[in-house]
Amino acid sequence: MLRKTRIAAAAVIFAALTLLFLDFTGTLHRWLDWLAGIQFIPAVLSVHLVTVALLVTLTLVFGRIYCSVICPLGIMQDIISWAHGKTARKNRFRFSWSPARNVLRYTMLGLFIASIIAGLTSLASLIEPYSAFGRIVSNLFGPLYQWGNNALALVAERADSYAFYSTDVWMKGLSALITAAVTLAVIFILSWKNGRTYCNTICPVGTILGLLSRFSLFRIMIDTGKCRECGLCARRCKASCINMKEGKVDHSRCVDCFDCLDACSEGAVIYVPVWKKSGDNASGSRGKVSSASGNAGSSDIRDNGRRAFITSAAVAVSAATIKAQEMKLDGGLAEIQDKKVPARKTPLKPAGSQSFRHFTQHCTACQLCVTVCPQQVLRPSSSLLTFMQPEMSFERGWCRPECTKCSEVCPSGPIRPVTQAEKSSIQIGHAVVIYENCVVNTDGVSCGNCARHCPSGAIQMVHSVPGDRESLRIPVVNPERCIGCGACENLCPARPFSAIYVEGHEVHRTI
């Protein structure tokens, strides 16, 4: 019963968190974003003491339930390990006891903590489980999800239905794709071969909760009076933490998956309060049986899962003829070049970040804000110091003052919640004009696109030749009014570099 309850709860949370990172519309976040807020490291970095206290209390009472039910990367490992177990019947009992690799565990934890203290949160987030899961889903599975949505939108449109709408499928950068692919490959190999190896050797959250779970009130124990030493529990333990020779469980590595309870036909593996089992051990003694009887016990175990089959939902969306519509100029005779990213001295961070330093020290690079950004302004950074953390650029859109989605979904505190009124007055940067790129000077034509679309009225057009009212007008920026939204940079017709771009501020200001 415990195992089935754990699986049901884990399945619901895993599906909800996966949809949270796949949902490009932002509609699910108003109901599901709390799931991101209860992840351990985001709660610590956002100094959400209530959440941290609840997770610590949960571990001290029930053990590492968090790793089996709440952590999405832990659940993903269970799914991969379960799939391997279904490939052949012998794989179901493929695990065995192995000593804890404490040197590796605590070294990784020490490096993780040192990176955060040093302000290198982006590097620490590479092994943080929630962020790693977010990058995998958003960068690898997100495009597939969007292609599937576009295929459904095409079918619905032909049926005169607008239940779906097409979206622009955007690969967020080669570095983000490679990082997500390598992370998934490491997780897959370790889980396929050895179950929860990542959790108990690399994951900092697993190590921290493992230290706490040594003192948990409820633990998995072996009743030595009932145990026949058949070894089935140890061979089902994906954490490899059951030592049958000594009849003990390494509670620092046990993730409370309860697979061992299901494997034992004698009821010798139990999940009880620590004081109750202590009383049983005082009068109990280990029962000895021959290896032949142990083998007989093994063969008598019912394989409750042998009739279960893997339901593969292979959503192969073949959009063979998805057209990439190219923007045209001059009646379709000239093709517009793609814009290139300007060399900003200070990267742009969203309104609510307060400062560049505050953002980089708290962001776990889960990229949830990248997923929900409707204008595709946020994208993962490839810089070493801010690796995989979101930064802003305006080649695909601009940051609209009325949009506050990134601040609404951020779980770890780098982007504090802001209202639309607050965002309209927060200056994250200021526009800079490169006059030699302006089409007024290069092509001798009038433009004014930047001034017409500036939402804060920070750009004015003045005569290029002072005093000559017949001369063409060029833009002039009032840096005191500019909020750095990027509308001017995005809509500037100059190619490949805009004639006006936004330079970021180290510390955000209020105008």
Side-chain angles (χ1 to χ4, degrees):
M1 184 63 183
L2 285 174
R3 179 174 178 268
K4 292 180 178 179
T5 303
R6 188 266 304 173
I7 292 175
V12 171
I13 290 179
F14 182 80
L17 279 168
T18 302
L19 288 174
L20 191 66
F21 281 100
L22 291 177
D23 179 37
F24 55 87
T25 65
T27 55
L28 293 179
H29 293 79
R30 62 187 69 176
W31 296 288
L32 300 179
D33 60 354
W34 63 273
L35 289 172
I38 63 172
Q39 301 301 314
F40 190 81
I41 295 299
V44 171
L45 291 179
S46 62
V47 199
H48 203 296
L49 299 181
V50 174
T51 302
V52 174
L54 288 175
L55 293 177
V56 169
T57 303
L58 180 70
T59 305
L60 289 174
V61 175
F62 299 107
R64 286 174 59 181
I65 292 291
Y66 173 92
C67 297
S68 284
V69 178
I70 300 176
C71 176
L73 197 68
I75 302 171
M76 175 184 282
Q77 293 174 72
D78 286 346
I79 294 173
I80 296 171
S81 179
W82 171 81
H84 185 200
K86 290 299 181 179
T87 57
R89 185 175 180 180
K90 63 179 180 180
N91 291 334
R92 189 173 179 226
F93 300 100
R94 68 187 187 278
F95 303 113
S96 62
W97 155 260
S98 65
R101 294 176 175 82
N102 288 328
V103 173
L104 178 59
R105 294 170 74 185
Y106 298 127
T107 298
M108 297 302 296
L109 177 61
L111 291 174
F112 178 83
I113 295 175
S115 298
I116 292 180
I117 294 175
L120 301 176
T121 310
S122 60
L123 298 181
S125 68
L126 293 177
I127 61 173
E128 197 275 315
Y130 164 75
S131 300
F133 175 80
R135 290 190 295 269
I136 290 172
V137 174
S138 60
N139 290 292
L140 298 182
F141 303 135
L144 300 177
Y145 181 82
Q146 292 167 7
W147 279 323
N149 170 82
N150 291 350
L152 291 174
L154 182 62
V155 173
E157 183 181 351
R158 293 184 176 180
D160 293 329
S161 171
Y162 295 94
F164 300 90
Y165 64 89
S166 295
T167 185
D168 185 16
V169 180
W170 174 40
M171 309 300 289
K172 301 176 183 66
L174 183 60
S175 59
L177 188 64
I178 292 176
T179 302
V182 170
T183 305
L184 178 60
V186 171
I187 296 296
F188 185 89
I189 292 171
L190 293 178
S191 304
W192 186 267
K193 286 187 173 183
N194 301 308
R196 286 289 189 130
T197 299
Y198 183 89
C199 286
N200 288 325
T201 56
I202 299 175
C203 177
V205 178
T207 303
I208 293 172
L209 297 184
L211 290 171
L212 296 175
S213 64
R214 294 175 182 267
F215 310 101
S216 61
L217 298 181
F218 285 81
R219 305 180 190 176
I220 289 179
M221 300 284 194
I222 298 177
D223 189 338
T224 55
K226 296 180 180 179
C227 179
R228 301 193 306 170
E229 299 185 67
C230 65
L232 287 179
C233 56
R235 294 192 317 221
R236 281 287 298 276
C237 178
K238 56 193 151 199
S240 300
C241 65
I242 300 179
N243 187 346
M244 287 305 304
K245 290 184 179 180
E246 300 181 5
K248 294 181 179 179
V249 178
D250 183 353
H251 297 104
S252 71
R253 290 186 290 157
C254 176
V255 294
D256 290 331
C257 65
F258 306 126
D259 287 353
C260 53
L261 273 68
D262 187 63
C264 183
S265 61
E266 304 298 326
V269 184
I270 51 179
Y271 181 66
V272 293
V274 62
W275 59 84
K276 180 177 180 180
K277 182 55 188 170
S278 298
D280 292 345
N281 276 340
S283 60
S285 62
R286 177 181 292 278
K288 300 293 182 179
V289 295
S290 65
S291 60
S293 63
N295 291 335
S298 175
S299 62
D300 290 339
I301 300 294
R302 292 186 178 180
D303 185 5
N304 295 325
R306 65 182 176 181
R307 295 183 180 178
F309 60 90
I310 302 176
T311 306
S312 310
V315 183
V317 180
S318 22
T321 58
I322 296 179
K323 296 181 180 179
Q325 298 290 340
E326 298 176 346
M327 295 188 298
K328 304 287 182 178
L329 281 178
D330 301 333
L333 298 178
E335 183 178 313
I336 292 184
Q337 289 180 282
D338 289 336
K339 281 194 175 184
K340 293 185 179 180
V341 181
R344 309 182 206 273
K345 295 180 181 178
T346 302
L348 287 160
K349 299 302 179 182
S353 303
Q354 299 180 345
S355 68
F356 176 81
R357 182 179 179 182
H358 175 268
F359 185 90
T360 55
Q361 288 183 340
H362 291 80
C363 178
T364 63
C366 71
Q367 298 179 13
L368 187 57
C369 57
V370 177
T371 301
V372 302
C373 180
Q375 305 301 321
Q376 298 181 342
V377 169
L378 292 171
R379 72 275 314 275
S381 170
S382 57
S383 173
L384 182 61
L385 293 178
T386 59
F387 191 63
M388 292 295 104
Q389 291 183 343
E391 63 183 19
M392 302 175 71
S393 201
F394 306 114
E395 290 72 49
R396 304 181 67 88
W398 59 282
C399 188
R400 298 182 182 274
E402 68 273 12
C403 177
T404 59
K405 285 190 175 182
C406 60
S407 72
E408 294 169 2
V409 303
C410 182
S412 56
I415 311 175
R416 69 173 182 84
V418 295
T419 64
Q420 293 181 357
E422 289 175 330
K423 185 179 178 182
S424 299
S425 62
I426 295 176
Q427 188 182 63
I428 64 173
H430 65 278
V432 178
V433 182
I434 309 297
Y435 288 105
E436 54 265 31
N437 291 349
C438 185
V439 294
V440 175
N441 295 322
T442 59
D443 299 342
V445 296
S446 61
C447 180
N449 218 25
C450 52
R452 283 195 299 272
H453 294 92
C454 179
S456 59
I459 303 176
Q460 292 183 342
M461 301 300 293
V462 300
H463 292 287
S464 56
V465 179
D468 185 359
R469 301 181 64 86
E470 299 299 323
S471 61
L472 296 175
R473 294 175 180 267
I474 57 175
V476 174
V477 178
N478 181 355
E480 298 301 322
R481 298 190 63 178
C482 178
I483 60 174
C485 67
C488 54
E489 180 180 330
N490 174 251
L491 298 171
C492 177
R495 295 294 189 278
F497 290 100
S498 295
I500 186 168
Y501 76 98
V502 180
E503 181 61 56
H505 287 170
E506 287 278 355
V507 179
H508 293 178
R509 311 166 190 169
T510 301
I511 60 172

